[in-house]
Amino acid sequence: MSSIKDKEKQTKPAVSRRGFLGGASVGGGLLATSLAVQEADAQAAGKLSGLGEVAITLNINGKPTNLAVEPRVTLLDALRHKLDLTGAKRVCDRGTCGACTIMVNGKTVYGCSVLAIDAVGKQIATIESLGGPGKLHPVSAAFVKHDAQQCGYCTPGFVMAAKAFLDKNPNPTREQVQKGLSGNICRCGTYVGMREAVLEASRSMRNA
Amino acid sequence: MPEYSWPPMNKRAVMGKSFDRLDGPQKASGRAKYSSDLNKPGQLFGVFLHSPHAHAKVKSIDISAAKAMEGVTAVRIIAGPGAELQWAGAEVAIVSAVREEIAKDAIRAIKVDYEILPHVVQEQDLSKVGSRAKAAGEQVTGDPDKAFKEAAAVIDGQYGCPVITHCCLEPHGNVVQWTGGTVNLWPSTQAVSSIGGDLAKQLEIPATDVKVQMDHVGGGFGSKFPSDRWGSEGAKLSKESGGRPVKVYLDRSNELTIGGVRPSAFAKIKVGANADGKIIAWQSESWASGGVGGGGMPPIPYVMTKIENFRLNHTAVSLNAGPARAWRAPNHPQASFLTCSALEDLAAKLNMDPWDLFHKNVEMSARPEVYRKQLVKAAELMDWKKKWHPRGAETGNIRRGVGLGMATWGGAGHASKCKVSINADGTIEVEIGSQDIGTGTRTCITQVAAETFGLPMSAVRVKLGDNAFPASGPSGGSTTIGGVSSSTRKAAVNALEKLFERVSPGLGVPADQLEAVDNKIQQKGNPAKGLTWKQACQKLGVDRISEMGENVPAQAAKEGLNTLGAAGIQMAEVEVDVETGIVRMRKMVAVQDCGLVVNPKTAASQVYGACIMSICSGLMEERVMDRVTGHVLNDDMEFYKLAGMGDIGEIVVHMDITPENDKRGIIGLGEPCAIGGLAAIANAAANALGVRVPMVPLTPDRVLAALSSDRRNA
C-alpha cells in the first residue's frame, strides 16, 4: 500500500452501519437515507439477502449520474457494473495494486477502497475523462510511444496515477517518478517503458 | 509453388522495423474491453463456493437456503457428497444471481459438512513429506563416482526455489451465455481457437456450437489455456437461468490459490571439475511440487548437457495445493537456477571467475559458439571484468556483486491457419483465430501483411480473437509469432498471386514477373511498368480476393519461415545491506539470441518484462503455505510481493539481431528471456555476500541466516 495515496480515505473506518448511514445521508438526500435505514435495519435483523439497493447520484467525469447500489458496494464496482465505466480494473480489490486508480476531489484514490455511497457529493474522475484513442492524453500517448504496456490491464490505473502525479510534480526526476508511482503494480514488467513515458509526458505537458 | 520466403533483411520496409503496438491507444486510454469488462444485457454474476480445507471429503451439502434467496437464479453443486477435495480453494458449488453481492451472500448460505482428511502442503524438507514423495528412476551416464574421485575440486550444495503463482492481473474467468443450441463464450484465454472445443467437450455439445470472442487478455503467462470450471459451470448456470449471460471471475484470493502456479524446485547438487575448471562429474537429487500431481522435473544439468559422467535422481512431491500450470518457460527457470548456482559455487571453490568457468564449459552445450559470443557481449554491457571480485572481497555493510545465468528454448511456430483478403478499395483484411496476449501479435501480423503487399500498416486490418476465424494455435511456448507470421505470409502471398493474375493481361507482364512494392504493382525492378495498388485493386470490381495460408510445424523448418533455438545470457548486479539483509537490484543485462525479429520494439518489451519477472521471483515472490490450515497465507497482492517501479534498477537489453540470425527465420521470444535472470540474481548475491543464500527469493531473513551460518562455520 502506498503512503502517497489519499490519506483521508485511509483514516476512515472500515464499513460500519454508522459509516454508511452517514455517507448516504450527507449526499443522498432524504429518500436515499430512508432506504438506507430500511436496508440497514434489515441487515441488523439478520436478513442479509434481498434487493437492498439505494438510489444515489454520483458526479462522474463532470456529469451527475443516477444509480442504485447496495451500501456495501465499492465505487469501483459501481463504476464497472452499474455504469459500464470499465477503464478502472478490479485486480487486488484491497488497495494494493492501483489498477483501479481514479480521482476523487482531485486526489488519487483506489476505487476498490471507497464505498460508492461515500463518494456522493464528490467530484469523481475516471480514465474515461481523459482523451480516447483518437485524441490521447499526453500521458496515454507517451505510454504508447514507449511501449509501457503489454497485457494492458494495469495501464489505466498507471495512466491515472501518472497524470495525477504530474499535475502535482510537473518536472520530476526519474527517482521522483519511481516513488510517485510506487502505489501501482504491473505484472508483465513494463516499468522501463513507463519511466520513460512519464518523463516524456512531463516534458510534453510543460511545453503544451 | 509460390515463393513464400521472407524478403532479405535489407529489402524489407516494414518487418524488422519498430512500430508502436496497434492496440496501445485503446489500452492506454482505458477503452480496451477485456472480457472481464463486459456488461451484457441481463448479465448475471456467478460466484464459487471454494473448499476451506486443504484435503477433505464432502459428507453433505445443503443449498436450499441459497436457492431460496431473492435474486438468486441458479445454484449448482460441483462437489457432491463423497467428492474428495484435494486443495483449499477447490470449487464446491456455484451460484448465479442478479448482483454479485447477492451471489456472495448465497454462497455463505450454503451448508457443507466436510470430513477433514490429512494434508501436506510443504515440500521444502523432503524428509517430512512421507508417502507423498514419488521417486523417478535413477539415470546414470559414465562413471560419476570415479570422476568425482579424480576431480580437483568438488562442491556439494543445496538450492531451492519455491512455488510462485502467475498472478495474472485479469483473474481467470469468463462471461458465458448458453441460449438454445449455442454457447457464447467471452473468455480470458491464451487459446481462442481451442478453448471452444474444450468447453464443448465439458458440456457434451458439438464443438461448432461454441462461439468464442475475446479482444484482449489481461495476462496469462501460461495459465490460461483450458476451458475451466468457470466456463462449464458458468454455461450451465446460464442455461438454468433462462439463457442469461453469466460473468464468473475469481477474486484475488482464489486467483492466487487456484489460478495456477509454477512448480517449486529443490536439489542437492554435487559437481566435480578438473583444476582448469572443466566439469567432469554431476550428481543431483532434485525434488519439486506443483500440487497434487507432483511437479515438473527441471532439466538439469541445464544447457551443459554433455557432461560425461552424471547421476540424476528426481522425486515428485504431491501436495494439497492448487495445481501447476505452464508458467513462462516451464521448468527452465528452475533448471537454470539450480545449475548455474552450483556452477557459480564451483567457480568460487576453484578461485575462478565464474565467467571463465561458464565460458569454458559451454563447450558441453548444444551451441557453444553462440553462448561464447553472448558471454562476451553480456560482460561488455555489464562491465563484468571490472565489477566481478572473488568471494569475500566485499567487506563493508553494503556489498555489491555480479552473477550470470543461462537460457535455452525452442520457439518454433505452432500450427496456424490464416485468411487474407484483398478488397477492391485496396484495403487488406487478415482473419486469424489467434490472440494478442500483450506480446504485440496484432501488430506483428499487420507488419507481415503490409510487408508482403508493399503497403503501409494503415492499409491492413487484422481481425483476431474469434474462433470463427481460421484456427491458430494457443499462445504458449513462444510459438505464436512463428506460427501466425508464417500463415499470414503464405495467405498474403497466395492472395497477391491472384491479384497478379488479374492485372497481368492489362499490363502485358506475366504474373510471375510482377512484384508489389511501395504501394504499386509493377514489373520486377521496373517502376515504369506498373499500376498503383489502388488502380490494381479497382480491377476487382465488386469482387474480393480471399486466400488461405497455413503453417504446418513439420514442414516449417524446410520452408525457412520459422525455426527454433534461442540461447540467452543474463547478468545481474545487486547490492546487499548486510545489516538489514535487503537485496536491491543495481543492473540487469539480457543478451538475447533471436531469429528474424518482426517488431524489435515489442520484442524488446518481452525481454524487459522477463527481466522484471525474474527480479520478482529472485527477490520477493513466493507462495507461502500454512502447514496447519493448508491455506495460502499470502493470497493477496500486499503479501504476495511483486516488484514495483522502484525495485528494478537499470535494465539493458541486447537483441542479437544480425543478418545471419535473420536468415534463420522467425523464433519465438516469450520464454527464452524469462529463464536466466533468476540464476543471475542469486549468483550476484552470492558474489556480493561471499556466501551462498541457498533459497530464493532472497528475502532479508534468508540473507541474514546465510550470513550468520557462514560466521558460525568460520
Side-chain angles (χ1 to χ4, degrees), chain B residues 579-654:
Chain B
E579 290 190 317
T580 62
I582 290 172
V583 182
R584 293 203 50 88
M585 294 304 301
R586 284 182 56 78
K587 183 173 177 176
M588 260 187 108
V589 168
V591 174
Q592 187 55 56
D593 185 20
C594 52
L596 189 171
V597 173
V598 180
N599 186 344
K601 187 174 200 166
T602 50
S605 290
Q606 286 284 293
V607 186
Y608 282 115
C611 288
I612 293 169
M613 290 183 99
S614 300
I615 294 169
C616 295
S617 60
L619 298 187
M620 55 200 80
E621 190 180 357
E622 172 175 17
R623 185 192 70 180
V624 181
M625 299 299 295
D626 182 33
R627 190 173 53 80
V628 177
T629 63
H631 282 222
V632 177
L633 279 172
N634 54 344
D635 58 344
D636 58 59
M637 290 180 70
E638 192 152 8
F639 295 102
Y640 188 85
K641 293 196 177 296
L642 297 174
M645 195 186 283
D647 296 323
I648 61 170
E650 180 194 359
I651 300 179
V652 178
V653 169
H654 174 82

Side-chain angles (χ1 to χ4, degrees), chain A residues 72 86 90 145 147 187 191, chain B residues 33 100 601 605 621 643:
Chain A
R72 58 177 158 164
T86 56
R90 189 167 84 180
K145 182 177 168 190
D147 210 30
R187 180 46 155 163
Y191 298 130
Chain B
K33 287 283 180 189
E100 191 176 29
K601 187 174 200 166
S605 290
E621 190 180 357

Side-chain angles (χ1 to χ4, degrees), chain A residues 84, chain B residues 37-44 175 177 186 213 245-247:
Chain A
D84 204 31
Chain B
D37 292 331
L38 297 177
N39 286 303
K40 296 278 171 191
Q43 180 175 287
L44 305 169
V175 179
Q177 181 171 28
W186 297 273
Q213 277 188 315
V246 181
K247 181 187 261 193

Side-chain angles (χ1 to χ4, degrees), chain A residues 48 53 70 72 80 84 86 89-91 96 130 140 145 147 149-153 187-189 191, chain B residues 21 24 27-28 31 33-34 36-37 39 69 99-100 105 165-166 252 601 605 609 621 637 643 649:
Chain A
L48 284 167
E53 294 191 319
E70 288 191 44
R72 58 177 158 164
R80 289 180 57 80
D84 204 31
T86 56
K89 305 296 188 223
R90 189 167 84 180
V91 174
T96 309
L130 305 185
S140 303
K145 182 177 168 190
D147 210 30
Q149 48 186 351
Q150 288 184 36
C151 86
Y153 213 69
R187 180 46 155 163
C188 300
Y191 298 130
Chain B
R21 65 180 66 228
K27 288 179 171 178
R31 268 48 165 209
K33 287 283 180 189
Y34 298 75
S36 55
D37 292 331
N39 286 303
M69 287 171 73
R99 292 202 302 273
E100 191 176 29
D105 287 344
T165 80
H166 299 73
R252 186 52 44 183
K601 187 174 200 166
S605 290
E621 190 180 357
M637 290 180 70

Side-chain angles (χ1 to χ4, degrees), chain B residues 87 132 163 261 263 288-295 317-324 623:
Chain B
W87 54 84
R132 299 303 187 90
V163 164
V261 301
S289 184
V292 167
V317 182
S318 169
L319 291 185
N320 297 107
R623 185 192 70 180

